[in-house]
Amino acid sequence: MAVALRYCRHLPPLLYRSSFAMTRWLPRAAAGCPALLLDSCRQCVRQVLLIRQLATKKAKGKGQSEARVNISAALVEDIINLKETSEDMQAVVEALKEDFSRNLSVRTSPGALDHIIVMTKDGKFPLNQLGQISQKSPQLIIVNMTNFPESTAAATKAIRESGMNLNPEVDGTIIRVPVPKVTREHRESLAKLAKQSTNKSKEALRKVRSKSISQVKKFKSKVSEDTIWLLEKQIQQMSDEAAAEMDKLLAAKTKELLG
């Protein structure tokens, strides 16, 4: 018992250590030893250090914002990979950025048609893998389907249904795509598409969040309720930050499109 008390006496300094891993170095007592109290000490240190990850509240307007959670991913790696969750959420944001850049521009360019997905009998393919895309004039884009003539009709349909306000015309294996004039109606149509794309991305983000929270809940019988609560809060916080970034992207793109 004296040995246990001697180690527990060092608990106050440990509580101020920044690393959760420090508790690994507390010795474990042998079975049947009175120093089994050490295991309880270790659990105490772990719990306190985990809860200390909560940051202080910051003033916001007249009230206070909710406390932020910032759990070190290494501390809970046996429960969930928070780094992977963050990367999955950021991948959704990056996909939205690319969609805005590639498909939502006031001026239609050949590059905007590259990744239009064409449904063929052999599967889905980007348009630029089936046809040669070039700009004949500022008002006309040409798609040459000579290499895959059987996909001409499918490519024409994909262009027309791309949501880019394009009305392609077919001449044999050549698809002519008139570039629409930049009208107010066209700008508003693009802004509406930007909003729809953002909503789809937020839905994908919610799926990542739900999957991660479901993963955490699998450990309800193995870890404390406080730990589960903190992890759920951390995941929700990560999701909220990604959604806020999407809202900023949408605001900037809408401003660009509407002029």
Side-chain angles (χ1 to χ4, degrees):
M1 179 64 73
V3 174
L5 291 175
R6 184 166 66 252
Y7 282 111
C8 287
R9 189 176 55 195
H10 296 292
L11 278 177
L14 281 172
L15 295 180
Y16 292 97
R17 299 286 180 88
S18 60
S19 173
F20 186 87
M22 290 300 296
T23 59
R24 295 177 183 174
W25 301 106
L26 288 174
R28 291 187 178 277
C33 176
L36 281 173
L37 175 61
L38 286 173
D39 289 331
S40 296
C41 293
R42 293 169 61 87
Q43 293 174 8
C44 175
V45 173
R46 288 174 183 267
Q47 186 66 16
V48 172
L49 288 177
L50 181 60
I51 294 175
R52 285 185 66 241
Q53 301 293 330
L54 284 171
T56 57
K57 292 183 178 182
K58 298 182 179 179
K60 184 178 182 182
K62 294 182 180 179
Q64 296 281 333
S65 63
E66 288 189 6
R68 286 179 57 81
V69 179
N70 186 23
I71 301 174
S72 172
L75 308 187
V76 292
E77 58 185 2
D78 292 338
I79 301 175
I80 188 171
N81 190 330
L82 285 177
K83 182 179 178 182
E84 184 176 291
T85 298
S86 177
E87 289 174 349
D88 288 345
M89 290 184 177
Q90 194 57 39
V92 177
V93 176
E94 293 301 319
L96 180 62
K97 284 183 183 178
E98 187 169 351
D99 181 39
F100 280 0
S101 175
R102 178 178 296 160
N103 301 323
L104 295 174
S105 176
V106 174
R107 298 288 180 182
T108 305
S109 64
L113 275 60
D114 284 351
H115 298 279
I116 290 178
I117 300 300
V118 181
M119 294 285 295
T120 72
K121 63 180 182 180
D122 296 318
K124 300 179 181 179
F125 298 93
L127 181 60
N128 64 351
Q129 290 186 12
L130 300 174
Q132 298 176 340
I133 306 172
S134 60
Q135 188 150 9
K136 188 172 183 180
S137 72
Q139 290 77 39
L140 183 63
I141 296 175
I142 298 295
V143 182
N144 189 332
M145 298 293 296
T146 303
N147 293 333
F148 296 93
E150 69 280 5
S151 298
T152 302
T156 303
K157 180 180 178 182
I159 294 170
R160 183 175 290 113
E161 296 178 355
S162 65
M164 297 173 65
N165 193 33
L166 301 175
N167 188 25
E169 302 167 356
V170 181
D171 182 8
T173 58
I174 300 297
I175 304 174
R176 291 186 170 84
V177 186
V179 177
K181 294 181 179 179
V182 183
T183 62
R184 185 66 185 178
E185 182 181 359
H186 179 50
R187 288 177 179 271
E188 291 175 352
S189 175
L190 291 175
K192 184 177 180 180
L193 288 174
K195 177 66 175 177
Q196 292 174 355
S197 295
T198 303
N199 288 339
K200 289 180 181 178
S201 295
K202 285 186 176 181
E203 179 60 32
L205 180 64
R206 284 191 287 270
K207 289 181 180 179
V208 175
R209 181 201 62 195
S210 297
K211 179 182 177 182
S212 299
I213 289 179
S214 295
Q215 173 66 22
V216 169
K217 286 183 176 179
K218 291 179 181 178
F219 288 81
K220 273 190 172 182
S221 61
K222 299 179 182 179
V223 298
S224 70
E225 290 183 5
D226 287 342
T227 301
I228 296 295
W229 181 83
L230 286 168
L231 281 170
E232 289 181 352
K233 190 173 179 65
Q234 171 87 2
I235 293 167
Q236 182 62 54
Q237 181 177 290
M238 293 161 60
S239 176
D240 290 344
E241 290 172 351
E245 187 174 354
M246 290 181 184
D247 287 337
K248 290 180 180 178
L249 290 171
L250 175 61
K253 175 55 70 171
T254 301
K255 183 179 180 179
E256 172 194 324
L257 293 173
L258 296 181

